[in-house]
């Protein structure tokens, strides 16, 4: 690896050259290649205009520049199976460029006089990346999570005014494609549907490309780096669609910065197991790999959701000489939990973790067993990817920190009021809401009504600052510390509890693989802390034992959980992090059922559901009354649920019903 050669050259040579790799100094028409290891390196990079680091102004121009270096080199490798005996699918840089041009021409032709807006509902197949970058070349790309509900998918497509839909089939398992007709019927702007691996030649995506030239565009693509070319859904799955507006420049600059920390050498092989509808999979991993002319190794169409990939991770890493990988802490814990495997002989230089906080015990245990430090990163869709990273300088990362800021960006802790108006800047080390400024910050949301809660009003210096919603601090040395989402704090009678106080204690138990603490609704305190745990395979853990562990080790008495629930499988999001919204729904159901049961008793049966179609979940409580006065029962239930801070709709089947706040 080139990094090894650079390290062997000695610090003196590196100091003379600064952050630039040999032959990688900024030069017009080619990509600059750096290795960011220190604050001095960051300052040196910031002396260069961001545009001068890149070989082009758009995603297409930059990928084309990389392809010109080695056209026959594998750009995309898709593992068809976690079994190494199964041959992979390989697409070279030359083929990738041809397909991008063809797809861009197709999207332009289909959309006519309108700017193409292409919705992409696909698993982790090469077609997803081809279609995304082609859509950005011709117009707008809108990648969508295939596992969202039909109504949510349709609302996102309508918000993006989709003219084309590229979708898959049930060959890849259950997904939104199972309700294709119903989705299309709700999107009036849609002109054509193209299906990846379709049995119908007329609708097959790759066959459709053959009708269009691969060596030239039949339209005039924009060369404006500030053009909005992607609407990326974010912010959950309920309520109005929240789509982040992304530009060529924002994506490319973030990809370049991440590569300067993880590795910018052309011979790198980048593990790809986060979905392409997520900023981590699409920009931080895939676009970054293409920008530097590296090889993207997709770890099956299911990524880390494929248990075979988890079991065979080190065999895959050795065989393909994988040099870097990005995963969630939950995935790292799953890899650590696999028994009787060896990491010996791997080529991984950097193993980054993102999407949620890395538990301290996991970081230490992973390094002890595999000799690799989990280097935490932090970012969000609204900044086109990542904004802080733990630099790979060969040393142990600062355990618990998300690292320091990437070039051209600043993060500070602010105190803001309920209307997101600036009150004051927090002192170094003081907790506040983390806000970021820099060229990577999104222009805003497609629905501008969301902008007010994101952009800080009255920020100092007239600079545009974005409220990330994360609580944290930056110390005097410039290292960031995340204490959780503002929305994830457990608020017990006005006492703010950091869930990590509980989670890190539970993760110390040898039988626990993952843990998540949330606030359970409480009629007196608002919330009370509880925790969910998933045991390691083959292990059995008792809730009472874990509660006692918390009583002994949780530092704040108010933070000791009142209940621990053991789950066989923790609910996960599509990117593999623990889904705390799903756990909150479970807690709401449990509390509602128990509260109602104490009142209804033997006089009826109870059914509890949660309606998530609005901006806030609502409990729907149905009582099948067998005896007693329905009006009296409804009033008693109404009174009981008045004390909770969530909405409940109570329905007693023999006619009485009431809506209770």
């Amino acid at each position: 690896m080139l990094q090894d050669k650079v390290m062997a050259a000695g610090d003196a040579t590196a100091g003379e050259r600064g952050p630039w790799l040999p032959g990688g100094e900024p030069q017009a028409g080619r990509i600059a290649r750096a290795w960011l290891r220190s604050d001095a390196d960051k300052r040196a990079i910031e002396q260069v205009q961001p545009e001068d680091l890149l070989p082009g102004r758009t995603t297409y121009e930059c990928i084309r520049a990389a392809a010109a270096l080695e056209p026959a080199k594998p750009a995309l490798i898709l593992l068809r199976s976690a079994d190494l005996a199964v041959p992979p699918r390989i697409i070279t840089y030359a083929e990738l460029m041809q397909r991008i041009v063809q797809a861009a021409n197709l999207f332009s032709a289909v959309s006519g006089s309108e700017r193409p807006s292409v919705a992409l509902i696909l698993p982790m197949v090469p077609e997803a990346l081809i279609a995304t970058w082609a859509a950005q070349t011709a117009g707008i790309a809108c990648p969508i999570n295939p596992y969202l509900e039909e109504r949510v998918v349709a609302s996102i497509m309508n918000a993006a005014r989709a003219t084309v839909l590229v979708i898959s089939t049930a060959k890849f398992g259950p997904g939104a494609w199972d309700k294709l007709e119903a989705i299309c019927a709700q999107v009036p702007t849609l002109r054509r549907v193209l299906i990846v691996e379709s049995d119908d030649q007329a609708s097959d995506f790759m066959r459709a490309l053959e009708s269009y030239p691969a060596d030239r565009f039949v339209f005039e693509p924009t060369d404006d780096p500030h053009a909005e070319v992607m609407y990326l859904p974010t912010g959950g799955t309920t309520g109005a669609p929240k789509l982040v507006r992304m530009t060529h420049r924002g994506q490319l600059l973030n990809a370049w910065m991440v590569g300067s920390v993880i590795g910018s050498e052309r011979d790198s092989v980048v593990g790809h197991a986060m979905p392409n509808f997520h900023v981590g999979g699409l920009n931080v991993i895939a676009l970054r790999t293409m920008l530097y002319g590296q090889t993207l190794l997709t770890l099956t169409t299911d990524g880390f959701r494929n248990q075979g990939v988890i079991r065979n991770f080190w065999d895959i890493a050795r065989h393909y000489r994988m040099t870097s990988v990005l995963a969630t802490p939950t995935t790292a814990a799953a890899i650590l939990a696999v028994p009787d495997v060896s990491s010996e002989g791997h080529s991984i230089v950097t193993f980054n973790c993102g999407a949620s906080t890395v538990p301290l015990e996991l970081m230490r245990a992973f390094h002890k067993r595999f000799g690799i430090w989990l280097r935490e990163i932090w970012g969000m869709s609204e900044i086109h990817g990542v904004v802080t990273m733990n630099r790979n300088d060969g040393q142990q990362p600062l355990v618990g920190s998300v690292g320091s800021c990437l070039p051209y960006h600043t993060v500070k802790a602010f105190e803001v009021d309920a209307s997101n108006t600036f009150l004051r800047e927090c002192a170094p080390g003081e907790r506040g809401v983390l806000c970021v400024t820099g060229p990577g910050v999104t222009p805003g949301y497609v629905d501008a009504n969301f902008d007010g809660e994101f952009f800080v009003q009255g920020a100092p210096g007239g600079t545009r600052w974005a409220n990330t919603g994360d609580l944290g601090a930056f110390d005097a040395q410039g290292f960031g510390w995340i204490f959780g989402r503002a929305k994830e704090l457990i608020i017990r009678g006005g006492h703010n509890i950091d869930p990590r106080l509980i989670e890190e204690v539970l993760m110390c138990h040898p039988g626990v693989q993952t843990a998540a603490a949330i606030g359970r609704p409480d009629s007196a305190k608002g919330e009370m802390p509880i925790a969910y745990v998933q045991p390691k395979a083959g292990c059995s853990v008792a809730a009472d034992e874990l509660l006692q562990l918390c009583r002994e080790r949780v530092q704040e008495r108010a933070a000791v959980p009142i209940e621990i629930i053991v789950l066989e499988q923790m609910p996960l999001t599509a990117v593999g992090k623990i889904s705390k919204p799903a756990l909150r729904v479970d807690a709401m159901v449990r509390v509602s059922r128990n509260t109602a049961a104490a009142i209804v008793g033997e006089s009826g049966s109870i059914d509890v559901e949660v309606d998530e179609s609005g901006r806030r979940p609502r409990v729907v409580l149905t009582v099948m009354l067998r005896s007693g006065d329905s009006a009296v029962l409804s009033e008693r239930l109404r009174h009981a649920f008045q004390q909770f801070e969530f909405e409940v709709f109570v329905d007693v089947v023999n006619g009485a019903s009431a809506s209770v706040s």
Side-chain angles (χ1 to χ4, degrees):
M1 291 299 299
L2 188 51
Q3 277 193 354
D4 297 329
K5 299 172 186 175
V6 172
M7 292 181 72
D11 290 338
T13 304
E16 295 172 3
R17 188 177 54 252
W20 312 111
L21 298 185
E25 298 82 0
Q27 181 176 315
R30 75 175 189 187
I31 189 168
R33 299 179 190 271
W35 185 11
L36 200 171
R37 293 170 292 172
S38 66
D39 289 343
D41 288 342
K42 180 187 173 191
R43 290 191 294 271
I45 290 170
E46 290 175 334
Q47 296 302 307
V48 180
Q49 290 298 313
E51 291 77 8
D52 294 335
L53 301 170
L54 302 168
R57 296 162 61 87
T58 67
T59 53
Y60 169 76
E61 290 177 359
C62 287
I63 298 173
R64 181 183 62 185
L69 297 175
E70 295 180 88
K73 178 180 180 176
L76 311 175
I77 299 178
L78 169 64
L79 300 188
R80 300 180 190 272
S81 168
D83 182 354
L84 292 176
V86 179
R89 180 183 174 191
I90 299 175
I91 293 180
T92 66
Y93 269 96
E95 182 183 355
L96 174 65
M97 293 312 302
Q98 291 170 356
R99 294 303 192 185
I100 290 175
V101 172
Q102 288 178 312
N105 286 331
L106 167 59
F107 297 153
S108 178
V110 168
S111 302
S113 60
E114 293 188 41
R115 189 183 185 200
S117 178
V118 184
L120 306 143
I121 307 177
L122 295 167
M124 294 175 62
V125 292
E127 288 85 352
L129 297 174
I130 291 168
T132 297
W133 294 323
Q136 292 185 13
T137 303
I140 296 285
C142 183
I144 300 174
N145 182 348
Y147 309 109
L148 296 177
E149 295 180 11
E150 165 200 325
R151 61 175 179 80
V152 179
V153 171
S155 68
I156 291 172
M157 291 177 64
N158 282 321
R161 297 188 58 80
T163 58
V164 182
L165 170 61
V166 184
I167 195 168
S168 188
T169 71
K171 292 179 181 179
F172 295 95
W177 36 78
D178 296 328
K179 299 181 179 179
L180 177 58
E181 289 188 12
I183 291 171
C184 292
Q186 300 175 59
V187 185
T189 56
L190 196 60
R191 296 189 176 192
R192 186 166 180 183
V193 176
L194 297 159
I195 300 175
V196 172
E197 295 196 17
S198 173
D199 294 327
D200 178 9
Q201 294 188 14
S203 62
D204 184 75
F205 174 65
M206 294 299 275
R207 286 184 180 274
L209 300 188
E210 300 301 334
S211 300
Y212 294 87
D215 59 348
R216 69 186 188 282
F217 291 116
V218 297
F219 65 98
E220 189 66 33
T222 182
D223 63 353
D224 180 4
H226 301 286
E228 294 175 14
V229 293
M230 185 155 67
Y231 296 156
L232 193 65
T234 188
T237 61
T238 62
K242 195 174 185 181
L243 276 60
V244 179
R245 296 152 54 199
M246 291 189 168
T247 66
H248 284 301
R249 184 179 189 251
Q251 294 179 86
L252 291 167
L253 178 58
N254 199 270
W256 188 92
M257 293 187 300
V258 172
S260 73
V261 176
I262 294 180
S264 59
E265 309 90 335
R266 276 165 54 186
D267 59 353
S268 295
V269 177
V270 179
H272 175 222
M274 299 190 81
N276 297 321
F277 56 79
H278 186 273
V279 71
L282 188 55
N283 287 354
V284 178
I285 298 176
L287 181 59
R288 181 246 308 178
T289 305
M290 297 299 99
L291 178 64
Y292 285 105
Q294 301 164 342
T295 295
L296 187 73
L297 178 66
T298 301
L299 307 180
T300 77
T301 57
D302 292 323
F304 284 127
R305 295 195 306 153
N306 184 329
Q307 291 304 304
V309 171
I310 298 293
R311 288 193 302 271
N312 299 336
F313 177 79
W314 295 111
D315 290 337
I316 294 169
R318 275 189 292 267
H319 182 82
Y320 288 97
R321 299 192 62 79
M322 190 192 309
T323 55
S324 69
V325 66
L326 169 63
T328 65
T330 306
T331 296
I335 293 172
L336 179 63
V338 177
D340 305 322
V341 295
S342 170
S343 62
E344 186 175 352
H346 72 82
S347 300
I348 293 177
V349 177
T350 306
F351 195 126
N352 290 109
C353 277
S356 59
T357 302
V358 180
L360 303 185
E361 185 61 28
L362 171 62
M363 181 179 288
R364 293 173 178 138
F366 201 92
H367 180 263
K368 181 178 180 180
R369 184 176 181 192
F370 300 128
I372 298 176
W373 287 110
L374 300 176
R375 298 184 182 274
E376 193 167 348
I377 65 176
W378 174 63
M380 61 193 305
S381 300
E382 287 85 344
I383 48 181
H384 288 86
V386 172
V387 72
T388 70
M389 302 183 73
N390 276 282
R391 299 164 183 162
N392 190 1
D393 55 4
Q395 305 299 314
Q396 174 183 332
L398 193 58
V399 179
S401 171
V402 294
S404 51
C405 285
L406 292 177
Y408 310 106
H409 292 77
T410 302
V411 180
K412 293 183 177 181
F414 286 170
E415 181 182 344
V416 298
D417 65 14
S419 63
N420 199 26
T421 298
F422 175 84
L423 296 179
R424 67 181 183 90
E425 180 181 334
C426 298
E430 181 185 2
R431 296 190 183 195
V433 62
L434 295 181
C435 299
V436 59
T437 188
V441 176
T442 176
Y445 298 98
V446 172
D447 183 348
N449 290 319
F450 290 113
D451 288 354
E453 64 187 43
F454 182 64
F455 294 111
V456 179
Q457 307 302 309
T463 306
R464 191 179 63 154
W465 287 83
N467 183 335
T468 68
D470 282 323
L471 297 177
F474 267 72
D475 61 26
Q477 289 71 44
F479 288 96
W481 305 82
I482 305 294
F483 304 117
R485 296 288 293 171
K487 296 178 181 178
E488 289 186 359
L489 280 180
I490 301 168
I491 304 176
R492 175 179 178 171
H495 184 98
N496 291 351
I497 298 170
D498 183 349
R500 292 200 305 175
L501 292 173
I502 304 166
E503 293 163 355
E504 290 180 358
V505 168
L506 291 170
M507 287 295 293
C508 291
H509 190 284
V512 171
Q513 179 165 320
T514 56
I518 64 167
R520 187 182 76 184
D522 184 79
S523 59
K525 298 290 187 180
E527 289 183 328
M528 293 293 282
I530 65 170
Y532 291 79
V533 299
Q534 176 183 324
K536 292 179 180 176
C539 293
S540 176
V541 294
D544 289 345
E545 179 186 353
L546 296 175
L547 280 170
Q548 183 58 35
L549 179 68
C550 289
R551 294 187 188 105
E552 294 171 357
R553 297 193 185 181
V554 172
Q555 296 176 6
E556 296 182 22
R557 184 174 180 180
V560 175
I562 62 170
E563 182 183 14
I564 290 180
I565 300 166
V566 180
L567 300 178
E568 182 178 339
Q569 175 64 54
M570 196 77 79
L572 303 177
T573 68
V575 298
K577 69 177 181 179
I578 295 172
S579 177
K580 286 195 173 181
L583 296 179
R584 291 191 190 95
V585 167
D586 180 78
M588 288 173 65
V589 169
R590 291 172 185 263
V591 166
S592 299
R593 188 181 301 279
N594 291 340
T595 301
I599 295 171
V600 175
E602 299 296 324
S603 64
S605 60
I606 301 165
D607 180 66
V608 181
E609 295 182 354
V610 176
D611 177 9
E612 297 184 78
S613 61
R615 287 185 180 271
R616 294 177 58 195
R618 180 179 72 158
V619 171
V620 179
L621 180 69
T622 304
V623 179
M624 305 288 291
L625 193 61
R626 289 190 289 266
S627 63
D629 188 316
S630 61
V632 172
L633 180 62
S634 294
E635 177 59 24
R636 291 182 64 195
L637 289 169
R638 183 195 68 79
H639 179 74
F641 281 104
Q642 271 185 337
Q643 312 304 315
F644 290 96
E645 296 178 354
F646 59 86
E647 183 183 4
V648 180
F649 181 83
V650 179
D651 185 21
V652 179
V653 295
N654 64 354
S657 63
S659 181
V660 185
S661 298

